[in-house]
Amino acid sequence: MHRITGKNGGDNLIEMSPTDSYNDDLNGYHQHGTSSTGSLQQGQSVSPLTPDVCVETCESLNTSLASLAPSDHSDSPQFEAQTLERISTLTGIDKQQQSKDSVFFRDGVRRIDFVLSYVDDKDGERKQERRKVYEANLMKVGLELETEDKSESEDGKTYFVKIHAPWEVLATYADVLKIKVPFKVNDIPDNSEMPMNWLSTPFRLPEHIMHPEPDFFTAPFNKSKSDFFLIDDKDTFFPPSTRNRIVYYILSRCSYFRDECAEKDKKGIKRLLNNGTYTAAFPLHDCRYWTRSKDLNCESERYNLYKHWARFLYFFKEQPLDLIRKYYGEKIGIYFAWLGFYTEMLLFAAIVGTICFIYGFLTYDDNQWSKEICSEEIGGSIVMCPLCDKKCGYWKLNTTCNSSWQSHLFDNVGTVFFAIFMGIWVTLFLEFWKRRQARLEYEWDLVDFEEEQQQLQLRPEYESKCTNRKKNRITQEMEPYLPVTTKCARMCLSGATVLFWISLIIACIIGVIAYRLAVYAAFASIMKDSPTNNLQVVGPYITPQLATSVTASCINFVIIMILNLMYERVAVWITDMEIPKTHLEYENKLTVKMFLFQFVNYYSSCFYVAFFKGKFVGYPGDYAYMFGKWSNLRNEECDPGGCLIELTTQLVIVMTGKQVWGNIQEALVPWLMNWWGSRKARSHPESLYSRWEQDHDLQGFGQLGLFYEYLEMVIQFGFITLFVASFPLAPLLALINNIIEVRVDAWKLTTQFRRPVAAKAHSLGAWEEILSGIAILSVVTNAFIVAFTSDMIPRLVYMYAYQIGGKMSMEGYINNSLSVFNISEFKLENKPDDEENPSWFDTLVFFLCRYRDYRYPPGHEKQYTHTMQFWHILAAKLAFIIIMEHVVFSVKFFVAWMIPDVPSDVKARVKRERYLVQEYLHNYEVEKLKIQLSQNGNKECTCTPMIYPSFPTHEVLSECL
């Protein structure tokens, strides 16, 4: 057997090649079964078969085979497989032929619910003692173990411990965890057919993929009432995702100390993984992803997910959310449901944003102010003041012609409309998601899933580190707790660490700003006579402003990525230090820390360009400096085209760079690591490359794997909402990225990662509050961008109040928006060097320069102070912000009030299910009590006992309502 890197050698995977499948029937356990310890480590022994035992076994075998299947199916492959399985069960003989994709013990009956792996190393005795005690404690709990010797592994040094949870263990912990299971087939007719439903046919998947299970009414499992539930087969009653969730719950709480030892805090598989006792712990995929399992008892759901979900050619198809939930659990299912819904809603925002961009393109010729800038008569005759000290010379306004035209693409009337639209779109997105989430909660049995249930499930780390005990007021049981003084000290240290890192980010941003101020003068001097100016197509676009903006944005992006990698470790460390009580509390604390950091890290540069650049520059006679005049770092100015185009550049670089880097990090890195691992692995032609070995060689998804997926999407959500007024095409870029993101996430989860442990979740958790906060903040930021970053308000004020001749046009706007300064009044430290001035400049001819502001001209009694037009424009900007915020917020609250969070049909179904649970439980208890009384000799009593009165239907229903 040899390992290659993918299907037909092309998919770059580490699992066995499809060309080796003909060896499936040859590589059975009979070839090397003697070297494995199997279940015998539990103290069992195999006794020889005596004649009496043989007779008894044969009789039971005949009886079993006779009832196994109807005669008309006796020659089917399924019947043959079931027959072989029953024979192996009754005789105690291992199956002689078993697929390498088998997810069962060597007996072919007991399913492998979890796998632990370890290797012997220098610290072997101590770790061996831990493993011995830990596995003994697991068996005390009731789990069954089977070990594969290292000689059977491909690398020749890895042991695998396979874990099976029998029915008693599953039933006990399903009762503890309140897992919902079916008790009756759902009899509510589905009237959710939409009109013209045939239009969605090309986007649909087969029904058995979209809905792999029939719909049932469910209730929390009760072990003492197991006959109340629809249990056809105890081996398959709990799906694999539920089984591995239960086993992981046990593994995370089982100790690895002896009763006589004093160190009682030594418990949990997580700690054993951290100290190297075990190298990995994971549930198994049910088959290789590109082919179905040859074992008829395997569901091959991984193959279905890959075929119908994880391939990019299916990007236009709906996602099989029920199958995702069934295979990976509700927590991952909710993420993909939200990501799919977010992508669908982005389609509407992308369409409107594209229309606004096209509007700006089509109104190119109506752009009067750009025409004035580009004309030789107006723009060519206006001499502008230097943009930096000493190294920047005088320049003509028409040199900014191209940036002015570019700015019009995004800075037009459509920008205002799109900013208002996005404020309403965000509300619709959040409200409709609440409805979608409520429907999923019902369909996935999460309606009564309360976070309080999770409060009872303390983190193992909390239980081990908190030595103090106090009585819980609710459960009246002693439980660990963290003293208030210790908790406050840890919180203060955590808060100080977060503030330090945020301060570090701000310091880096200030450094980038200082870089911009320092290099602008250098670029201006270098590019004055640069050969690039003569290039026909791109020459006019390569300006000192553009060079400074692009290089600063790239440097800022690199700093963002470096700080990201460093802070991720710090955030996890300080969250662990706080010792959160529950997993929910842990995730919420980590979420807040990471998002707060990422918010400052990613958005601070955009906030600087949008709200600070060009706002505090002073005027030629009295410039403002970043660190005072001693620094010689004069604050940046916006060119006459405005700062909006620079904000657009910053947004495109950071947003696009993050998405490209994220996809590389998410998909390419695991693929390369798996590929490299497959090259390093040693080939053993005589060994069986089993399912647990294939999964062991994949990458671990990690407990926080989903956290980083949410973080990436929420950061993107901030980009397309907070600054969308500057770049209407941002939703389109996000839409394209997300279409790829859904399939990339599906592909890597299905092919490159081990199967994650299933977990429950009924919502997005803390991310919902963060999204709502971003939605509110986006209205404010977009209103300020339109008012202060865009030139929309000054143009409107000019057109309606200051236009000469009373005509509603923009003629003369450029001349009106530029103030005048006397060149002779320049201070020596501000005056440009003679060699920096262009050849056309002559002080005898040009004695005035212009700058962007509204100030009185020299010679006026209020020279260089703000004119009345400046205050009119400022008042108009503030009025616009107030009006826009009130309008958008009013519409937002009205829309939120109009759209109920839970659809009416879902409410009715929930009430119906609660009613049926009460009714069926009532009838079940009555029948059970009747049977008990009849068994005690009270056969003559056929009336309903008074302890279980027969309630009228309307009374039972009223309790549910």
Short mmCIF file of all heavy atoms in Angstrom, two decimals, residues 202-222:
data_model
loop_
_atom_site.label_atom_id
_atom_site.label_comp_id
_atom_site.label_asym_id
_atom_site.label_seq_id
_atom_site.Cartn_x
_atom_site.Cartn_y
_atom_site.Cartn_z
N PRO A 202 -33.19 25.01 -10.16
CA PRO A 202 -31.75 24.84 -10.46
C PRO A 202 -30.86 25.00 -9.24
O PRO A 202 -29.71 24.54 -9.25
CB PRO A 202 -31.47 25.95 -11.48
CG PRO A 202 -32.79 26.32 -12.05
CD PRO A 202 -33.78 26.11 -10.95
N PHE A 203 -31.38 25.64 -8.18
CA PHE A 203 -30.55 25.89 -7.00
C PHE A 203 -30.76 24.86 -5.90
O PHE A 203 -30.12 24.93 -4.86
CB PHE A 203 -30.85 27.29 -6.43
CG PHE A 203 -30.79 28.38 -7.47
CD1 PHE A 203 -31.94 28.94 -7.98
CD2 PHE A 203 -29.57 28.83 -7.93
CE1 PHE A 203 -31.89 29.95 -8.94
CE2 PHE A 203 -29.50 29.84 -8.90
CZ PHE A 203 -30.66 30.39 -9.40
N ARG A 204 -31.65 23.91 -6.14
CA ARG A 204 -31.98 22.94 -5.10
C ARG A 204 -31.06 21.73 -5.15
O ARG A 204 -30.49 21.41 -6.19
CB ARG A 204 -33.43 22.46 -5.24
CG ARG A 204 -34.46 23.51 -4.92
CD ARG A 204 -35.83 22.87 -4.89
NE ARG A 204 -36.87 23.85 -5.13
CZ ARG A 204 -38.07 23.56 -5.60
NH1 ARG A 204 -38.36 22.33 -5.94
NH2 ARG A 204 -38.97 24.51 -5.76
N LEU A 205 -30.98 21.05 -4.01
CA LEU A 205 -30.27 19.78 -3.90
C LEU A 205 -31.30 18.67 -3.73
O LEU A 205 -32.46 18.93 -3.39
CB LEU A 205 -29.33 19.81 -2.69
CG LEU A 205 -28.10 20.72 -2.80
CD1 LEU A 205 -27.35 20.76 -1.48
CD2 LEU A 205 -27.17 20.27 -3.91
N PRO A 206 -30.90 17.41 -3.95
CA PRO A 206 -31.85 16.31 -3.76
C PRO A 206 -32.44 16.30 -2.35
O PRO A 206 -31.78 16.70 -1.38
CB PRO A 206 -30.99 15.07 -4.01
CG PRO A 206 -29.86 15.54 -4.86
CD PRO A 206 -29.60 16.96 -4.45
N GLU A 207 -33.67 15.85 -2.24
CA GLU A 207 -34.38 15.90 -0.96
C GLU A 207 -33.66 15.08 0.11
O GLU A 207 -33.61 15.48 1.28
CB GLU A 207 -35.81 15.38 -1.15
CG GLU A 207 -36.69 15.48 0.09
CD GLU A 207 -36.96 16.92 0.50
OE1 GLU A 207 -36.84 17.82 -0.34
OE2 GLU A 207 -37.30 17.12 1.68
N HIS A 208 -33.09 13.93 -0.25
CA HIS A 208 -32.43 13.09 0.76
C HIS A 208 -31.14 13.72 1.26
O HIS A 208 -30.61 13.32 2.31
CB HIS A 208 -32.15 11.69 0.19
CG HIS A 208 -31.04 11.66 -0.83
ND1 HIS A 208 -31.25 12.03 -2.15
CD2 HIS A 208 -29.74 11.32 -0.73
CE1 HIS A 208 -30.11 11.91 -2.82
NE2 HIS A 208 -29.18 11.47 -1.99
N ILE A 209 -30.60 14.71 0.53
CA ILE A 209 -29.42 15.43 1.00
C ILE A 209 -29.84 16.64 1.83
O ILE A 209 -29.25 16.93 2.88
CB ILE A 209 -28.56 15.89 -0.20
CG1 ILE A 209 -28.08 14.68 -1.00
CG2 ILE A 209 -27.39 16.73 0.28
CD1 ILE A 209 -27.18 13.75 -0.20
N MET A 210 -30.86 17.35 1.38
CA MET A 210 -31.32 18.54 2.10
C MET A 210 -31.96 18.16 3.44
O MET A 210 -31.75 18.83 4.45
CB MET A 210 -32.32 19.32 1.25
CG MET A 210 -31.69 20.18 0.19
SD MET A 210 -30.55 21.40 0.88
CE MET A 210 -31.65 22.37 1.91
N HIS A 211 -32.72 17.09 3.46
CA HIS A 211 -33.41 16.66 4.68
C HIS A 211 -33.14 15.17 4.89
O HIS A 211 -33.96 14.32 4.53
CB HIS A 211 -34.90 16.92 4.57
CG HIS A 211 -35.23 18.35 4.26
ND1 HIS A 211 -35.10 19.37 5.18
CD2 HIS A 211 -35.66 18.94 3.11
CE1 HIS A 211 -35.45 20.51 4.63
NE2 HIS A 211 -35.79 20.29 3.38
N PRO A 212 -31.97 14.84 5.46
CA PRO A 212 -31.57 13.43 5.57
C PRO A 212 -32.39 12.62 6.57
O PRO A 212 -32.31 11.40 6.59
CB PRO A 212 -30.11 13.51 6.02
CG PRO A 212 -30.00 14.84 6.71
CD PRO A 212 -30.96 15.75 6.00
N GLU A 213 -33.18 13.29 7.42
CA GLU A 213 -33.96 12.59 8.42
C GLU A 213 -35.41 13.05 8.35
O GLU A 213 -35.68 14.21 8.02
CB GLU A 213 -33.41 12.86 9.82
CG GLU A 213 -32.02 12.29 10.07
CD GLU A 213 -31.54 12.64 11.47
OE1 GLU A 213 -31.97 13.68 12.00
OE2 GLU A 213 -30.73 11.88 12.03
N PRO A 214 -36.37 12.17 8.66
CA PRO A 214 -37.77 12.61 8.76
C PRO A 214 -37.94 13.55 9.94
O PRO A 214 -37.12 13.60 10.86
CB PRO A 214 -38.54 11.30 8.96
CG PRO A 214 -37.53 10.33 9.48
CD PRO A 214 -36.22 10.73 8.89
N ASP A 215 -39.01 14.31 9.92
CA ASP A 215 -39.27 15.30 10.96
C ASP A 215 -40.02 14.64 12.11
O ASP A 215 -41.03 13.96 11.90
CB ASP A 215 -40.07 16.46 10.38
CG ASP A 215 -40.04 17.66 11.28
OD1 ASP A 215 -39.26 17.65 12.25
OD2 ASP A 215 -40.79 18.62 11.03
N PHE A 216 -39.53 14.83 13.32
CA PHE A 216 -40.14 14.24 14.51
C PHE A 216 -40.46 15.33 15.52
O PHE A 216 -39.85 16.40 15.53
CB PHE A 216 -39.20 13.23 15.18
CG PHE A 216 -38.92 11.99 14.38
CD1 PHE A 216 -37.76 11.87 13.64
CD2 PHE A 216 -39.83 10.94 14.36
CE1 PHE A 216 -37.50 10.73 12.90
CE2 PHE A 216 -39.57 9.80 13.63
CZ PHE A 216 -38.41 9.69 12.90
N PHE A 217 -41.42 15.02 16.39
CA PHE A 217 -41.56 15.78 17.63
C PHE A 217 -40.56 15.21 18.62
O PHE A 217 -40.38 13.99 18.70
CB PHE A 217 -42.97 15.65 18.20
CG PHE A 217 -44.02 16.39 17.39
CD1 PHE A 217 -45.09 15.71 16.86
CD2 PHE A 217 -43.91 17.75 17.17
CE1 PHE A 217 -46.05 16.38 16.12
CE2 PHE A 217 -44.87 18.42 16.42
CZ PHE A 217 -45.93 17.73 15.90
N THR A 218 -39.92 16.08 19.37
CA THR A 218 -38.85 15.63 20.26
C THR A 218 -39.08 16.12 21.68
O THR A 218 -39.82 17.08 21.92
CB THR A 218 -37.48 16.14 19.79
OG1 THR A 218 -37.50 17.57 19.75
CG2 THR A 218 -37.14 15.60 18.41
N ALA A 219 -38.42 15.45 22.60
CA ALA A 219 -38.47 15.82 24.01
C ALA A 219 -37.14 15.43 24.65
O ALA A 219 -36.45 14.54 24.15
CB ALA A 219 -39.63 15.10 24.71
N PRO A 220 -36.74 16.10 25.74
CA PRO A 220 -35.48 15.74 26.41
C PRO A 220 -35.49 14.28 26.85
O PRO A 220 -36.48 13.79 27.41
CB PRO A 220 -35.42 16.69 27.61
CG PRO A 220 -36.27 17.85 27.22
CD PRO A 220 -37.36 17.28 26.36
N PHE A 221 -34.40 13.60 26.60
CA PHE A 221 -34.31 12.17 26.90
C PHE A 221 -34.37 11.94 28.41
O PHE A 221 -33.74 12.66 29.19
CB PHE A 221 -33.02 11.59 26.34
CG PHE A 221 -32.92 10.09 26.49
CD1 PHE A 221 -33.62 9.25 25.65
CD2 PHE A 221 -32.12 9.54 27.47
CE1 PHE A 221 -33.53 7.88 25.78
CE2 PHE A 221 -32.01 8.17 27.63
CZ PHE A 221 -32.72 7.34 26.77
N ASN A 222 -35.13 10.93 28.79
CA ASN A 222 -35.23 10.50 30.18
C ASN A 222 -34.97 9.00 30.23
O ASN A 222 -35.72 8.21 29.66
CB ASN A 222 -36.62 10.82 30.74
CG ASN A 222 -36.70 10.62 32.24
OD1 ASN A 222 -36.06 9.74 32.80
ND2 ASN A 222 -37.50 11.45 32.90
#
